[in-house]
Amino acid sequence: MSQLFRIIARRSANGLRAYSTDFGSAPSAGEHSGGARLWKILSFTVALPGVVVCMVNAYIREKEHEHDERPEFIPYEHLRIRTKRFPWGDGNKTLFHNPHVNPLPDGYEDVHH
């Protein structure tokens, strides 16, 4: 058994040596010194304008939907279940509650008040 282990260890060591020398040595810093400069240029010329375009697109789409009517409230039994009160406010509204979009279990707020 120990002879088999030595043969396997010798072959794997030879294979690792051959593998590590096939690709040459690791690149020096001088060969890749322009990488940081390239990514800096790409960030300012591609990434930032891309973010600006996405923000403008989101703003325009939100303005288009600003005056849309909300859907009719249907009191489904499996939605808006409250088994215990929320620890903030009146205990019935979620943390980021929007009275125009998010109905309470019994309907929209502005209809009831």
Side-chain angles (χ1 to χ4, degrees):
M1 189 66 160
S2 64
Q3 187 178 8
L4 179 63
F5 179 72
R6 276 189 243 138
I7 292 171
I8 293 172
R10 192 177 311 127
R11 285 186 181 173
S12 64
N14 288 338
L16 286 175
R17 262 188 245 119
Y19 179 74
S20 65
T21 58
D22 282 347
F23 298 107
S25 62
S28 64
E31 295 174 17
H32 296 285
S33 61
R37 183 173 183 270
L38 172 70
W39 282 105
K40 184 177 181 180
I41 290 171
L42 286 174
S43 295
F44 286 115
T45 59
V46 176
L48 288 179
V51 169
V52 170
V53 167
C54 289
M55 288 175 57
V56 169
N57 183 30
Y59 180 77
I60 290 172
R61 286 181 181 252
E62 179 61 30
K63 285 295 178 186
E64 290 174 359
H65 296 291
E66 192 171 86
H67 300 292
D68 288 349
E69 291 185 24
R70 63 182 172 206
E72 177 187 350
F73 177 76
I74 302 172
Y76 292 114
E77 294 179 14
H78 65 282
L79 295 177
R80 294 171 289 278
I81 297 173
R82 306 283 196 264
T83 56
K84 64 180 188 177
R85 299 173 58 83
F86 290 114
W88 51 80
D90 64 355
N92 197 24
K93 298 175 186 167
T94 60
L95 185 60
F96 300 105
H97 180 75
N98 182 344
H100 180 72
V101 180
N102 306 117
L104 296 173
D106 55 348
Y108 291 104
E109 288 180 67
D110 55 359
V111 175
H112 295 290
H113 296 105

